[in-house]
Amino acid sequence: MASTDRPRLAVRSPADLIAAVPFLLGFHPADSVVVVAMRGRRITFAARADLPDLADRCDLAGHLAGVVARQHAETATVLGYGPATLVTPAVDAVRAELTAAGLSVLDALRVTEGRYWSYVCTEPECCPPDGTPYDVGASEVSVAAVFAGQVALPDRAALVAQVAPVTGPARSAVRAATARAERRLAELRGQAPAADPRGERSVRSAGATAVRTAFRRHRREQPLTDDEVAWLSVLLTDEPVRDHAWARTDGRDADIALWTDVLRRAEPELTAAPAALLAFAAWRAGQGALAAVALERALAEHPGHSLALLLDDLLRRGVPPSDLDGWPAVGTPDVLRRRRRRRER
């Protein structure tokens, strides 16, 4: 699910909307139901769910509609990608739930193999029974999006690949660097002064320095060395260091690039914090799909990680980043923790 606070695209027809969807999501959907929400004449949010799940479970349609309604949207269009046998019941269920949530459904489309069909329009002159052809590649919307620097990957698998771990010699190099970093951390704790018997202040100071260096390097488009990645990933296992990095992470391209790089190169036992930080940066940037795949990786490898679980809950409920008023001036970790405590009462 993704906010759409990006360069504006002029959408004037169903074909234009179909062309815009991959750029709203970040990838071309398949076997999916997508809801595009609007406030006034502006697209404000796009949400996607897997078609087989929606076809089999009506409660997911209600969840999807609730997420969209939470964005303070006024109208929506539903698009189903796939065969009619699966798309039709899923789209019908989502339309009903959106209507029940108080949203006006402008149109509902089935999209497959270069054609679309409307479930709302019954006029054969504009919506022929054999579907209306469209060409995403020839659309002015696609051209404008590419010109604005927006990217639509071929499918969700390509998005998952962007956060996949490095392999081969790159993995071996980071593994060796991580062994050095763990010895360095042990020495740091062992050399801590008597006033800091467990080395906590020493670790936090080293962590603040490593985080500051990493941000500065990536904002100058300078990649981190293997030793820098390993040292940072080891230090991020300390919760205060992780929160220090979290409080300094926003939705800037450089922040997303930094945490993507660290996540891909970190050893598996050290991926939870960089994955969660990437998810937060992507969520802040309106890249909900990237945030989702980062959290999937975090929770697959570290199912109990507190920050990943908190962000996963925010993403699944469709909480918009704008709810964090004043960011980054406010202490965001504290804001989100208060939100979690209120939900648990």
Side-chain angles (χ1 to χ4, degrees), residues 40-68:
R41 299 180 62 184
R42 186 183 180 197
I43 294 174
T44 58
F45 189 77
R48 187 202 70 90
D50 289 332
L51 184 57
D53 291 342
L54 273 173
D56 295 337
R57 293 180 55 190
C58 292
D59 58 317
L60 287 181
H63 171 76
L64 186 62
V67 167
V68 173

PDB file of all heavy atoms in Angstrom, residues 40-68:
ATOM      1  N   GLY A  40     -11.148  14.690  -3.923  1.00  0.00           N
ATOM      2  CA  GLY A  40     -11.376  15.663  -4.979  1.00  0.00           C
ATOM      3  C   GLY A  40     -10.962  15.057  -6.310  1.00  0.00           C
ATOM      4  O   GLY A  40     -11.388  13.963  -6.668  1.00  0.00           O
ATOM      5  N   ARG A  41     -10.097  15.753  -7.035  1.00  0.00           N
ATOM      6  CA  ARG A  41      -9.641  15.248  -8.337  1.00  0.00           C
ATOM      7  C   ARG A  41      -8.226  14.684  -8.267  1.00  0.00           C
ATOM      8  O   ARG A  41      -7.626  14.391  -9.297  1.00  0.00           O
ATOM      9  CB  ARG A  41      -9.698  16.391  -9.359  1.00  0.00           C
ATOM     10  CG  ARG A  41     -11.103  16.965  -9.562  1.00  0.00           C
ATOM     11  CD  ARG A  41     -11.103  18.089 -10.577  1.00  0.00           C
ATOM     12  NE  ARG A  41     -10.678  17.638 -11.890  1.00  0.00           N
ATOM     13  CZ  ARG A  41     -10.521  18.443 -12.935  1.00  0.00           C
ATOM     14  NH1 ARG A  41     -10.756  19.746 -12.804  1.00  0.00           N
ATOM     15  NH2 ARG A  41     -10.134  17.962 -14.101  1.00  0.00           N
ATOM     16  N   ARG A  42      -7.709  14.525  -7.052  1.00  0.00           N
ATOM     17  CA  ARG A  42      -6.335  14.088  -6.907  1.00  0.00           C
ATOM     18  C   ARG A  42      -6.256  12.664  -6.368  1.00  0.00           C
ATOM     19  O   ARG A  42      -6.914  12.317  -5.389  1.00  0.00           O
ATOM     20  CB  ARG A  42      -5.577  15.023  -5.964  1.00  0.00           C
ATOM     21  CG  ARG A  42      -4.100  14.699  -5.892  1.00  0.00           C
ATOM     22  CD  ARG A  42      -3.387  15.583  -4.891  1.00  0.00           C
ATOM     23  NE  ARG A  42      -1.970  15.269  -4.832  1.00  0.00           N
ATOM     24  CZ  ARG A  42      -1.162  15.636  -3.848  1.00  0.00           C
ATOM     25  NH1 ARG A  42      -1.635  16.312  -2.827  1.00  0.00           N
ATOM     26  NH2 ARG A  42       0.114  15.312  -3.878  1.00  0.00           N
ATOM     27  N   ILE A  43      -5.448  11.824  -7.020  1.00  0.00           N
ATOM     28  CA  ILE A  43      -5.176  10.487  -6.513  1.00  0.00           C
ATOM     29  C   ILE A  43      -4.299  10.621  -5.272  1.00  0.00           C
ATOM     30  O   ILE A  43      -3.261  11.286  -5.295  1.00  0.00           O
ATOM     31  CB  ILE A  43      -4.459   9.623  -7.570  1.00  0.00           C
ATOM     32  CG1 ILE A  43      -5.397   9.370  -8.764  1.00  0.00           C
ATOM     33  CG2 ILE A  43      -3.998   8.307  -6.970  1.00  0.00           C
ATOM     34  CD1 ILE A  43      -4.719   8.641  -9.911  1.00  0.00           C
ATOM     35  N   THR A  44      -4.732  10.016  -4.183  1.00  0.00           N
ATOM     36  CA  THR A  44      -4.006  10.162  -2.920  1.00  0.00           C
ATOM     37  C   THR A  44      -3.427   8.863  -2.395  1.00  0.00           C
ATOM     38  O   THR A  44      -2.543   8.893  -1.533  1.00  0.00           O
ATOM     39  CB  THR A  44      -4.936  10.726  -1.829  1.00  0.00           C
ATOM     40  OG1 THR A  44      -6.064   9.856  -1.670  1.00  0.00           O
ATOM     41  CG2 THR A  44      -5.413  12.129  -2.205  1.00  0.00           C
ATOM     42  N   PHE A  45      -3.895   7.720  -2.894  1.00  0.00           N
ATOM     43  CA  PHE A  45      -3.477   6.463  -2.284  1.00  0.00           C
ATOM     44  C   PHE A  45      -3.776   5.314  -3.233  1.00  0.00           C
ATOM     45  O   PHE A  45      -4.755   5.353  -3.981  1.00  0.00           O
ATOM     46  CB  PHE A  45      -4.253   6.259  -0.974  1.00  0.00           C
ATOM     47  CG  PHE A  45      -3.784   5.110  -0.117  1.00  0.00           C
ATOM     48  CD1 PHE A  45      -2.638   5.216   0.648  1.00  0.00           C
ATOM     49  CD2 PHE A  45      -4.510   3.939  -0.061  1.00  0.00           C
ATOM     50  CE1 PHE A  45      -2.211   4.166   1.449  1.00  0.00           C
ATOM     51  CE2 PHE A  45      -4.101   2.878   0.733  1.00  0.00           C
ATOM     52  CZ  PHE A  45      -2.944   3.008   1.493  1.00  0.00           C
ATOM     53  N   ALA A  46      -2.921   4.308  -3.207  1.00  0.00           N
ATOM     54  CA  ALA A  46      -3.173   3.085  -3.969  1.00  0.00           C
ATOM     55  C   ALA A  46      -2.882   1.894  -3.077  1.00  0.00           C
ATOM     56  O   ALA A  46      -1.854   1.863  -2.385  1.00  0.00           O
ATOM     57  CB  ALA A  46      -2.301   3.035  -5.228  1.00  0.00           C
ATOM     58  N   ALA A  47      -3.781   0.937  -3.063  1.00  0.00           N
ATOM     59  CA  ALA A  47      -3.618  -0.265  -2.245  1.00  0.00           C
ATOM     60  C   ALA A  47      -3.808  -1.494  -3.119  1.00  0.00           C
ATOM     61  O   ALA A  47      -4.637  -1.490  -4.033  1.00  0.00           O
ATOM     62  CB  ALA A  47      -4.627  -0.270  -1.100  1.00  0.00           C
ATOM     63  N   ARG A  48      -3.035  -2.551  -2.823  1.00  0.00           N
ATOM     64  CA  ARG A  48      -3.087  -3.772  -3.626  1.00  0.00           C
ATOM     65  C   ARG A  48      -3.201  -4.983  -2.712  1.00  0.00           C
ATOM     66  O   ARG A  48      -2.625  -5.007  -1.616  1.00  0.00           O
ATOM     67  CB  ARG A  48      -1.818  -3.906  -4.472  1.00  0.00           C
ATOM     68  CG  ARG A  48      -1.828  -5.066  -5.473  1.00  0.00           C
ATOM     69  CD  ARG A  48      -0.412  -5.476  -5.866  1.00  0.00           C
ATOM     70  NE  ARG A  48       0.266  -6.118  -4.756  1.00  0.00           N
ATOM     71  CZ  ARG A  48       0.236  -7.431  -4.519  1.00  0.00           C
ATOM     72  NH1 ARG A  48      -0.437  -8.243  -5.311  1.00  0.00           N
ATOM     73  NH2 ARG A  48       0.877  -7.935  -3.468  1.00  0.00           N
ATOM     74  N   ALA A  49      -3.922  -6.000  -3.184  1.00  0.00           N
ATOM     75  CA  ALA A  49      -3.992  -7.274  -2.478  1.00  0.00           C
ATOM     76  C   ALA A  49      -3.920  -8.398  -3.505  1.00  0.00           C
ATOM     77  O   ALA A  49      -4.337  -8.228  -4.654  1.00  0.00           O
ATOM     78  CB  ALA A  49      -5.276  -7.383  -1.658  1.00  0.00           C
ATOM     79  N   ASP A  50      -3.384  -9.527  -3.082  1.00  0.00           N
ATOM     80  CA  ASP A  50      -3.304 -10.677  -3.975  1.00  0.00           C
ATOM     81  C   ASP A  50      -4.696 -11.178  -4.312  1.00  0.00           C
ATOM     82  O   ASP A  50      -5.548 -11.335  -3.425  1.00  0.00           O
ATOM     83  CB  ASP A  50      -2.502 -11.809  -3.326  1.00  0.00           C
ATOM     84  CG  ASP A  50      -1.021 -11.487  -3.235  1.00  0.00           C
ATOM     85  OD1 ASP A  50      -0.537 -10.710  -4.083  1.00  0.00           O
ATOM     86  OD2 ASP A  50      -0.352 -12.003  -2.320  1.00  0.00           O
ATOM     87  N   LEU A  51      -4.928 -11.437  -5.568  1.00  0.00           N
ATOM     88  CA  LEU A  51      -6.249 -11.842  -6.034  1.00  0.00           C
ATOM     89  C   LEU A  51      -6.726 -13.156  -5.427  1.00  0.00           C
ATOM     90  O   LEU A  51      -7.867 -13.242  -4.954  1.00  0.00           O
ATOM     91  CB  LEU A  51      -6.237 -11.935  -7.565  1.00  0.00           C
ATOM     92  CG  LEU A  51      -7.557 -12.266  -8.249  1.00  0.00           C
ATOM     93  CD1 LEU A  51      -8.630 -11.258  -7.862  1.00  0.00           C
ATOM     94  CD2 LEU A  51      -7.361 -12.277  -9.762  1.00  0.00           C
ATOM     95  N   PRO A  52      -5.904 -14.213  -5.391  1.00  0.00           N
ATOM     96  CA  PRO A  52      -6.413 -15.468  -4.818  1.00  0.00           C
ATOM     97  C   PRO A  52      -6.884 -15.307  -3.382  1.00  0.00           C
ATOM     98  O   PRO A  52      -7.902 -15.870  -2.986  1.00  0.00           O
ATOM     99  CB  PRO A  52      -5.198 -16.404  -4.913  1.00  0.00           C
ATOM    100  CG  PRO A  52      -4.396 -15.860  -6.046  1.00  0.00           C
ATOM    101  CD  PRO A  52      -4.560 -14.372  -5.939  1.00  0.00           C
ATOM    102  N   ASP A  53      -6.166 -14.507  -2.580  1.00  0.00           N
ATOM    103  CA  ASP A  53      -6.578 -14.306  -1.193  1.00  0.00           C
ATOM    104  C   ASP A  53      -7.922 -13.606  -1.115  1.00  0.00           C
ATOM    105  O   ASP A  53      -8.794 -13.974  -0.326  1.00  0.00           O
ATOM    106  CB  ASP A  53      -5.526 -13.478  -0.448  1.00  0.00           C
ATOM    107  CG  ASP A  53      -4.230 -14.246  -0.236  1.00  0.00           C
ATOM    108  OD1 ASP A  53      -4.257 -15.482  -0.342  1.00  0.00           O
ATOM    109  OD2 ASP A  53      -3.202 -13.598   0.014  1.00  0.00           O
ATOM    110  N   LEU A  54      -8.099 -12.560  -1.952  1.00  0.00           N
ATOM    111  CA  LEU A  54      -9.360 -11.827  -1.933  1.00  0.00           C
ATOM    112  C   LEU A  54     -10.511 -12.672  -2.441  1.00  0.00           C
ATOM    113  O   LEU A  54     -11.634 -12.575  -1.960  1.00  0.00           O
ATOM    114  CB  LEU A  54      -9.240 -10.557  -2.773  1.00  0.00           C
ATOM    115  CG  LEU A  54      -8.693  -9.326  -2.045  1.00  0.00           C
ATOM    116  CD1 LEU A  54      -8.465  -8.205  -3.027  1.00  0.00           C
ATOM    117  CD2 LEU A  54      -9.646  -8.882  -0.956  1.00  0.00           C
ATOM    118  N   ALA A  55     -10.228 -13.514  -3.429  1.00  0.00           N
ATOM    119  CA  ALA A  55     -11.293 -14.356  -3.978  1.00  0.00           C
ATOM    120  C   ALA A  55     -11.775 -15.371  -2.954  1.00  0.00           C
ATOM    121  O   ALA A  55     -12.940 -15.776  -2.955  1.00  0.00           O
ATOM    122  CB  ALA A  55     -10.798 -15.066  -5.236  1.00  0.00           C
ATOM    123  N   ASP A  56     -10.887 -15.787  -2.048  1.00  0.00           N
ATOM    124  CA  ASP A  56     -11.217 -16.837  -1.089  1.00  0.00           C
ATOM    125  C   ASP A  56     -11.674 -16.305   0.259  1.00  0.00           C
ATOM    126  O   ASP A  56     -12.348 -17.006   1.010  1.00  0.00           O
ATOM    127  CB  ASP A  56     -10.006 -17.751  -0.870  1.00  0.00           C
ATOM    128  CG  ASP A  56      -9.621 -18.511  -2.135  1.00  0.00           C
ATOM    129  OD1 ASP A  56     -10.502 -18.664  -3.000  1.00  0.00           O
ATOM    130  OD2 ASP A  56      -8.458 -18.923  -2.242  1.00  0.00           O
ATOM    131  N   ARG A  57     -11.309 -15.058   0.592  1.00  0.00           N
ATOM    132  CA  ARG A  57     -11.590 -14.552   1.932  1.00  0.00           C
ATOM    133  C   ARG A  57     -12.232 -13.170   1.850  1.00  0.00           C
ATOM    134  O   ARG A  57     -11.572 -12.177   1.559  1.00  0.00           O
ATOM    135  CB  ARG A  57     -10.305 -14.481   2.751  1.00  0.00           C
ATOM    136  CG  ARG A  57      -9.700 -15.832   3.076  1.00  0.00           C
ATOM    137  CD  ARG A  57      -8.421 -15.664   3.888  1.00  0.00           C
ATOM    138  NE  ARG A  57      -8.657 -14.864   5.086  1.00  0.00           N
ATOM    139  CZ  ARG A  57      -7.674 -14.399   5.869  1.00  0.00           C
ATOM    140  NH1 ARG A  57      -6.432 -14.631   5.562  1.00  0.00           N
ATOM    141  NH2 ARG A  57      -7.959 -13.684   6.946  1.00  0.00           N
ATOM    142  N   CYS A  58     -13.520 -13.111   2.134  1.00  0.00           N
ATOM    143  CA  CYS A  58     -14.246 -11.847   2.047  1.00  0.00           C
ATOM    144  C   CYS A  58     -13.774 -10.844   3.100  1.00  0.00           C
ATOM    145  O   CYS A  58     -13.900  -9.629   2.908  1.00  0.00           O
ATOM    146  CB  CYS A  58     -15.736 -12.093   2.202  1.00  0.00           C
ATOM    147  SG  CYS A  58     -16.470 -12.999   0.816  1.00  0.00           S
ATOM    148  N   ASP A  59     -13.230 -11.344   4.234  1.00  0.00           N
ATOM    149  CA  ASP A  59     -12.795 -10.420   5.271  1.00  0.00           C
ATOM    150  C   ASP A  59     -11.643  -9.547   4.788  1.00  0.00           C
ATOM    151  O   ASP A  59     -11.470  -8.419   5.248  1.00  0.00           O
ATOM    152  CB  ASP A  59     -12.393 -11.180   6.537  1.00  0.00           C
ATOM    153  CG  ASP A  59     -11.280 -12.183   6.283  1.00  0.00           C
ATOM    154  OD1 ASP A  59     -11.331 -12.881   5.260  1.00  0.00           O
ATOM    155  OD2 ASP A  59     -10.363 -12.272   7.123  1.00  0.00           O
ATOM    156  N   LEU A  60     -10.846 -10.046   3.831  1.00  0.00           N
ATOM    157  CA  LEU A  60      -9.764  -9.242   3.284  1.00  0.00           C
ATOM    158  C   LEU A  60     -10.297  -8.067   2.477  1.00  0.00           C
ATOM    159  O   LEU A  60      -9.672  -7.009   2.422  1.00  0.00           O
ATOM    160  CB  LEU A  60      -8.840 -10.096   2.422  1.00  0.00           C
ATOM    161  CG  LEU A  60      -7.931 -11.066   3.187  1.00  0.00           C
ATOM    162  CD1 LEU A  60      -7.056 -11.843   2.212  1.00  0.00           C
ATOM    163  CD2 LEU A  60      -7.083 -10.340   4.205  1.00  0.00           C
ATOM    164  N   ALA A  61     -11.447  -8.255   1.851  1.00  0.00           N
ATOM    165  CA  ALA A  61     -12.057  -7.142   1.124  1.00  0.00           C
ATOM    166  C   ALA A  61     -12.436  -6.032   2.090  1.00  0.00           C
ATOM    167  O   ALA A  61     -12.225  -4.840   1.817  1.00  0.00           O
ATOM    168  CB  ALA A  61     -13.287  -7.624   0.351  1.00  0.00           C
ATOM    169  N   GLY A  62     -12.977  -6.405   3.245  1.00  0.00           N
ATOM    170  CA  GLY A  62     -13.303  -5.412   4.258  1.00  0.00           C
ATOM    171  C   GLY A  62     -12.072  -4.713   4.793  1.00  0.00           C
ATOM    172  O   GLY A  62     -12.081  -3.503   5.024  1.00  0.00           O
ATOM    173  N   HIS A  63     -11.000  -5.484   4.991  1.00  0.00           N
ATOM    174  CA  HIS A  63      -9.751  -4.883   5.470  1.00  0.00           C
ATOM    175  C   HIS A  63      -9.211  -3.886   4.449  1.00  0.00           C
ATOM    176  O   HIS A  63      -8.799  -2.777   4.806  1.00  0.00           O
ATOM    177  CB  HIS A  63      -8.722  -5.976   5.733  1.00  0.00           C
ATOM    178  CG  HIS A  63      -7.350  -5.443   6.012  1.00  0.00           C
ATOM    179  ND1 HIS A  63      -7.009  -4.874   7.227  1.00  0.00           N
ATOM    180  CD2 HIS A  63      -6.238  -5.360   5.229  1.00  0.00           C
ATOM    181  CE1 HIS A  63      -5.752  -4.468   7.182  1.00  0.00           C
ATOM    182  NE2 HIS A  63      -5.257  -4.756   5.992  1.00  0.00           N
ATOM    183  N   LEU A  64      -9.214  -4.282   3.169  1.00  0.00           N
ATOM    184  CA  LEU A  64      -8.706  -3.411   2.113  1.00  0.00           C
ATOM    185  C   LEU A  64      -9.516  -2.124   2.048  1.00  0.00           C
ATOM    186  O   LEU A  64      -8.959  -1.022   1.949  1.00  0.00           O
ATOM    187  CB  LEU A  64      -8.746  -4.145   0.776  1.00  0.00           C
ATOM    188  CG  LEU A  64      -8.130  -3.444  -0.435  1.00  0.00           C
ATOM    189  CD1 LEU A  64      -6.651  -3.201  -0.210  1.00  0.00           C
ATOM    190  CD2 LEU A  64      -8.340  -4.284  -1.688  1.00  0.00           C
ATOM    191  N   ALA A  65     -10.842  -2.242   2.127  1.00  0.00           N
ATOM    192  CA  ALA A  65     -11.693  -1.058   2.087  1.00  0.00           C
ATOM    193  C   ALA A  65     -11.446  -0.171   3.301  1.00  0.00           C
ATOM    194  O   ALA A  65     -11.429   1.065   3.196  1.00  0.00           O
ATOM    195  CB  ALA A  65     -13.161  -1.471   2.025  1.00  0.00           C
ATOM    196  N   GLY A  66     -11.232  -0.781   4.462  1.00  0.00           N
ATOM    197  CA  GLY A  66     -10.966  -0.005   5.662  1.00  0.00           C
ATOM    198  C   GLY A  66      -9.673   0.777   5.569  1.00  0.00           C
ATOM    199  O   GLY A  66      -9.589   1.928   6.010  1.00  0.00           O
ATOM    200  N   VAL A  67      -8.648   0.153   4.993  1.00  0.00           N
ATOM    201  CA  VAL A  67      -7.372   0.839   4.811  1.00  0.00           C
ATOM    202  C   VAL A  67      -7.547   2.053   3.909  1.00  0.00           C
ATOM    203  O   VAL A  67      -7.019   3.138   4.182  1.00  0.00           O
ATOM    204  CB  VAL A  67      -6.328  -0.130   4.230  1.00  0.00           C
ATOM    205  CG1 VAL A  67      -5.102   0.617   3.726  1.00  0.00           C
ATOM    206  CG2 VAL A  67      -5.922  -1.151   5.281  1.00  0.00           C
ATOM    207  N   VAL A  68      -8.284   1.888   2.818  1.00  0.00           N
ATOM    208  CA  VAL A  68      -8.497   2.997   1.882  1.00  0.00           C
ATOM    209  C   VAL A  68      -9.304   4.104   2.553  1.00  0.00           C
ATOM    210  O   VAL A  68      -8.971   5.293   2.444  1.00  0.00           O
ATOM    211  CB  VAL A  68      -9.203   2.497   0.610  1.00  0.00           C
ATOM    212  CG1 VAL A  68      -9.573   3.664  -0.293  1.00  0.00           C
ATOM    213  CG2 VAL A  68      -8.305   1.510  -0.140  1.00  0.00           C
TER     214      VAL A  68
END
